[in-house]
């Protein structure tokens, strides 16, 4: 038999419900996490959308480092690849915000995170010359069946 909780015995007040994970983020990030959510979305779906939107935005922003580094080294084709990724990812995020089509957004982000490292490795001249940058493609999560 289980023990009766202290709040049920009148000793403590009933505990407050926990806020969903995406609501524990800083206030300035919330508009980005709410991008593309629907009122009918469950907490799990909202969390998935928030994580993908935040990670895609972060990767798109950090690609400036790659573009700048390759441009400074005079590797213009290698700089153009992450720049094209930035443009495509920004377009994907914008489209998701407008249409709320999560499956399209998820598929586009997964494909871009798979293709980018291999394209960079090709442009840098192979496995050894690129410091095995294509291995980053293996960090891409598998698509979910939903």
């Amino acid at each position: 038999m289980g023990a009766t909780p202290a709040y049920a015995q009148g000793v403590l007040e009933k505990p407050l419900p926990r806020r969903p994970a995406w609501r524990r983020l800083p206030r300035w990030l919330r508009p980005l996490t709410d991008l593309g959510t629907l009122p009918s979305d469950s907490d799990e779906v909202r969390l998935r959308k928030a994580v993908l939107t935040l990670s895609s935005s972060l990767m798109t922003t950090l690609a400036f480092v790659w573009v700048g580094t390759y441009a400074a080294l005079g590797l213009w084709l290698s700089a153009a690849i992450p720049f094209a990724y930035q443009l495509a990812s920004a377009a994907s995020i914008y489209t998701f915000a407008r249409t709320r089509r999560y499956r399209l957004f998820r598929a586009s982000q997964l494909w871009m995170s798979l293709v980018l490292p291999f394209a960079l490795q090709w442009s840098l001249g192979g496995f050894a010359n690129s410091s095995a940058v294509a291995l980053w493609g293996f960090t891409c999560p598998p698509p979910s069946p939903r």
Side-chain angles (χ1 to χ4, degrees):
M1 287 203 241
T4 306
Y7 67 84
Q9 297 173 3
V11 177
L12 298 173
E13 292 183 29
K14 188 173 181 178
L16 295 174
R18 284 189 67 165
R19 290 186 303 167
W22 77 91
R23 292 289 176 214
R24 287 181 256 168
L25 292 170
R27 175 169 265 125
W28 59 272
L29 275 177
R30 288 191 190 151
L32 193 58
T33 61
D34 291 338
L35 209 69
T37 58
L38 299 170
S40 61
D41 287 343
S42 67
D43 284 347
E44 181 183 350
V45 171
R46 285 179 185 262
L47 181 62
R48 287 175 184 255
K49 288 180 178 182
V51 167
L52 184 57
T53 304
L54 288 173
S55 63
S56 300
S57 301
L58 180 64
M59 288 185 288
T60 300
T61 304
L62 292 177
F64 280 111
V65 175
W66 273 357
V67 173
T69 301
Y70 291 136
L73 293 172
L75 302 169
W76 299 107
L77 177 60
S78 298
I81 291 170
F83 182 68
Y85 165 78
Q86 283 181 302
L87 295 177
S89 189
S92 175
I93 293 168
Y94 176 77
T95 302
F96 176 57
R98 302 292 293 176
T99 65
R100 292 180 163 79
R101 294 177 61 193
Y102 180 61
R103 291 182 72 149
L104 175 65
F105 177 55
R106 183 181 62 200
S108 67
Q109 290 297 322
L110 288 174
W111 276 107
M112 284 188 286
S113 60
L114 277 173
V115 171
L116 171 72
F118 290 100
L120 270 175
Q121 179 170 314
W122 168 79
S123 73
L124 291 169
F127 198 77
N129 292 339
S130 69
S131 301
V133 76
L135 294 177
W136 283 102
F138 294 113
T139 65
C140 179
S144 70
R146 294 182 205 167

